[in-house]
Amino acid sequence: MVLDVNGWASENKKFDDAEVSKIEKELGVKFPQSYISLMKDWNGGYLHEEHQILIENDVPEDLIYYLGERFWTVGSVAGISADLNNSEGIINKSKTAHEWGIPEKVIAFDGDGHTWVAFDYRDNPDKPKIIFIESDELLSFFLASDFSDFISKLIPSSQVYDNDGNVIFEQK
């Protein structure tokens, strides 16, 4: 599935290459082109409908509490914004995650304190994988090999849960 952002509005302002470079320098990373391309079409923020990412691998016992239903909710993707006060921007989101103890080379783009979805640059500074990470013990879990893979795995919540919260998704 491809995330269709056609017609979506973003609270984030348009950006240029200079702003991307400024943010990358401040965070000490280089964003994947797939992230920059999506942000050019829709500069992040809350998704029009929450989406789920299917947990494809076995979940370790210490993360069952978070990932036991085999789905994780993605409600937003932080856009390209250097504004520290912009809660829908990548600088604000990643700095907040770092204040919660998330490692510097893990750049969060969704989350709320205890749990985050993030670019993980720790193993490969040129091709970050996408992980789920919690801030209490810094336990992490692989979600996707890269940002394109992550976006392709998103499923609208209405295709995963019925109105009573029961899982209706059937993997093809």
Side-chain angles (χ1 to χ4, degrees):
M1 173 165 277
V2 176
L3 187 63
D4 182 8
V5 298
N6 187 30
W8 288 17
S10 175
E11 298 294 321
N12 294 319
K13 298 174 185 166
K14 297 271 186 201
F15 60 89
D16 58 22
D17 292 342
E19 185 160 12
V20 173
S21 294
K22 175 184 173 186
I23 294 168
E24 288 175 332
K25 184 176 180 180
E26 184 168 339
L27 295 174
V29 300
K30 181 136 181 72
F31 292 126
Q33 190 57 48
S34 57
Y35 171 71
I36 294 170
S37 294
L38 177 63
M39 295 305 108
K40 285 181 179 177
D41 292 338
W42 166 72
N43 196 11
Y46 291 98
L47 303 178
H48 283 205
E49 175 184 354
E50 284 186 340
H51 282 61
Q52 304 294 318
I53 186 161
L54 175 65
I55 307 302
E56 297 173 325
N57 301 317
D58 290 336
V59 177
E61 186 69 33
D62 49 6
L63 288 173
I64 290 286
Y65 174 78
Y66 298 109
L67 305 173
E69 284 192 342
R70 312 237 8 120
F71 291 96
W72 184 254
T73 301
V74 178
S76 66
V77 176
I80 295 177
S81 172
D83 182 355
L84 275 171
N85 297 315
N86 178 1
S87 64
E88 294 183 28
I90 193 84
I91 287 284
N92 176 288
K93 191 69 71 177
S94 62
K95 296 285 185 183
T96 301
H98 296 153
E99 289 170 5
W100 278 82
I102 300 303
E104 291 296 317
K105 292 298 180 184
V106 175
I107 307 301
F109 59 82
D110 185 33
D112 63 1
H114 292 287
T115 57
W116 305 91
V117 176
F119 296 107
D120 185 353
Y121 288 89
R122 294 175 293 181
D123 295 334
N124 186 340
D126 298 321
K127 188 178 178 189
K129 61 188 171 190
I130 306 301
I131 62 168
F132 163 89
I133 188 167
E134 57 83 35
S135 61
D136 294 328
E137 296 181 46
L138 299 179
L139 301 172
S140 63
F141 188 82
F142 173 88
L143 294 176
S145 59
D146 58 31
F147 190 73
S148 292
D149 185 36
F150 171 76
I151 292 299
S152 74
K153 291 179 178 183
L154 292 177
I155 307 163
S157 291
S158 61
Q159 294 177 22
V160 175
Y161 297 107
D162 67 15
N163 290 336
D164 295 324
N166 300 307
V167 175
I168 59 171
F169 179 77
E170 293 184 27
Q171 192 167 8
K172 297 173 183 168

